[in-house]
Amino acid sequence: MKNFRAAALAGLAALLLAACGGSDPYIPGSGSPAGAPTTKGSFTAVVSFGDSLSDLGTYAPATSLTGDGQPPYFGGKWTTNGPGATVWVENLAAALGIVVTPAEVGFAGQSVLCPAAAVNPALASSCTGYGQGGSRVTDPNGLGKAGGALTVPVKTQIANHLARYGSFKDSDLIFVWAGHNDIFVQFGIFGAKAAQIQAQAAAGQIPEDQAKNLLLEAQLAAQEAMKQVAIELGGYIKKEILGKGGKYVAVVNLVDIAATPFSSVVPAAAQPVLTTLSEIFNLWLRDEMTGQPVQWVDAMALFKELRADSARFTNVTVPACDAAKIAAITGGAVTDGTSLFCNATPGVPFNGLRDGADVQRWLFADGVHPTTGGHKATSDEFAKALAAFGWI
């Protein structure tokens, strides 16, 4: 499988060339956004759409210490939870003097819209953090949906904002960062097909050449699906955000999933498939943003830089959260080490941190999500990007 990524990209290029009649020199994704504001914004709200990387605590009730969905909660965010544990959206908003809270909090079929408003009516306008763990771009059946996660897709997240406010305001700082869960879904489909094909080949039911072709077809199908998702997200940005008043819009591309600790549980031969799916999505989303008045934030390049920054991070390969400890804390209900249930408070019985882990100097909390320090580094770099745009 080691040559599948090159073969798949070559196959895709051939398909594109054929679709263009073989002579069109245009290369998808080679263009750039254009026309976004270059002046500082007078921001009153940070509006974020996406998945677990931007989740401000949607599933906190699932981490109730009393087990009844009520506070206190020992987790709730995909990071190293505990006092002072914030994700990049909160950090960036705080730097601008803005409060942002979850648009919805709940689990297992029950949820509350804008819960901050119930605590303090003055916070009613702060509930603009729409990102939810497990959410996909369009499909409501996100990761964890069957287990009780809300997984409201980005399409609906945007619709919910418009239903509440009618449109976007010039004073909204808007972020769109989504697509990672669609990669996991498509990679899972590919993996299941690959396992079946390899089993058939090993049993002598199909010849090796046919197995290689079938594997390539499976990867191309996953890539085509990611292309379609990127086009859909681009359409929502153009029609439902820009078309409904969005002025300061930052579109963030996907990180390379193969360069996270998650890749350690993926066969080495399949890791390039993960990278390719990220790249295909990013290519087609950028293509959709060509000529559009948005700014592009390159998270794939950013996380590559963070992994190489040994002065900032001493560990970029091992998750700070301990899967065995989290399994014990949750009575065996959670065995994958997800940072949603990881608390880093020293001395408490529900501390799920790995011995010796440093939430500021280790980059990853679990297989794909940043630690508190990782989120701080992300928000710092995003702030630099906004400054470079002239927005802040």
Side-chain angles (χ1 to χ4, degrees):
M1 292 174 64
K2 63 182 180 180
N3 295 321
F4 280 3
R5 181 179 171 199
L9 290 174
L12 181 61
L15 291 172
L16 289 169
L17 191 60
C20 295
S23 60
D24 193 331
Y26 176 70
I27 301 174
S30 61
S32 298
T38 57
T39 56
K40 288 185 179 181
S42 298
F43 299 120
T44 60
V46 173
V47 185
S48 64
F49 302 108
D51 51 34
S52 54
L53 286 173
S54 307
D55 193 322
L56 306 184
T58 301
Y59 306 126
T63 72
S64 169
L65 280 172
T66 54
D68 59 359
Q70 299 300 311
Y73 309 125
F74 69 89
K77 299 176 185 176
W78 270 268
T79 187
T80 41
N81 293 275
T86 51
V87 302
W88 72 269
V89 183
E90 296 168 301
N91 297 336
L92 194 55
L96 298 173
I98 298 170
V99 176
V100 59
T101 64
E104 184 177 12
V105 170
F107 194 75
Q110 296 184 349
S111 68
V112 177
L113 299 178
C114 193
V119 177
N120 182 353
L123 295 177
S125 62
S126 73
C127 306
T128 53
Y130 293 90
Q132 292 187 352
S135 291
R136 299 172 66 181
V137 169
T138 301
D139 195 325
N141 297 305
L143 301 187
K145 179 75 170 182
L150 303 178
T151 69
V152 174
V154 174
K155 176 183 180 181
T156 307
Q157 293 174 21
I158 299 170
N160 288 343
H161 182 84
L162 292 172
R164 185 176 184 191
Y165 294 99
S167 64
F168 292 92
K169 304 187 298 290
D170 287 355
S171 58
D172 290 335
L173 176 58
I174 305 163
F175 286 92
V176 182
W177 193 10
H180 298 97
N181 290 318
D182 286 280
I183 285 183
F184 287 124
V185 169
Q186 295 306 323
F187 185 73
I189 294 172
F190 164 78
K193 290 181 179 178
Q196 181 182 28
I197 293 165
Q198 290 169 333
Q200 290 176 322
Q205 297 173 353
I206 57 175
E208 182 178 351
D209 286 347
Q210 183 181 357
K212 289 181 178 179
N213 288 334
L214 290 173
L215 286 169
L216 179 57
E217 289 176 6
Q219 182 176 343
L220 287 172
Q223 290 178 192
E224 180 62 27
M226 289 308 301
K227 169 188 172 181
Q228 181 59 38
V229 170
I231 292 172
E232 289 171 0
L233 181 58
Y236 304 147
I237 294 170
K238 288 185 286 189
K239 297 178 183 177
E240 302 302 320
I241 297 181
L242 295 172
K244 301 292 177 62
K247 181 177 180 181
Y248 290 89
V249 182
V251 179
V252 188
N253 71 1
L254 301 187
V255 303
D256 181 1
I257 304 296
T260 68
F262 172 78
S263 65
S264 66
V265 300
V266 176
Q271 290 176 12
V273 178
L274 277 173
T275 298
T276 299
L277 294 180
S278 301
E279 292 174 339
I280 289 294
F281 179 91
N282 290 347
L283 180 149
W284 285 103
L285 180 58
R286 186 178 179 89
D287 192 65
E288 287 293 301
M289 293 298 97
T290 297
Q292 297 298 316
V294 304
Q295 288 288 6
W296 184 260
V297 179
D298 192 349
M300 180 174 280
L302 163 62
F303 272 81
K304 182 177 181 180
E305 292 173 1
L306 293 181
R307 291 192 302 272
D309 191 348
S310 58
R312 181 179 283 179
F313 294 106
T314 59
N315 189 314
V316 298
T317 57
V318 179
C321 300
D322 189 313
K325 289 184 179 180
I326 293 173
I329 291 166
T330 60
V334 179
T335 59
D336 61 359
T338 174
S339 57
L340 179 68
F341 295 89
C342 179
N343 190 290
T345 306
V348 298
F350 47 84
N351 181 299
L353 211 61
R354 189 182 302 273
D355 292 346
D358 186 331
V359 299
Q360 297 298 333
R361 302 297 304 281
W362 287 31
L363 179 56
F364 290 101
D366 57 22
V368 293
H369 301 103
T371 57
T372 303
H375 271 290
K376 180 61 167 62
T378 301
S379 59
D380 287 348
E381 295 303 316
F382 282 10
K384 290 179 182 177
L386 296 181
F389 302 155
W391 291 6
I392 61 174

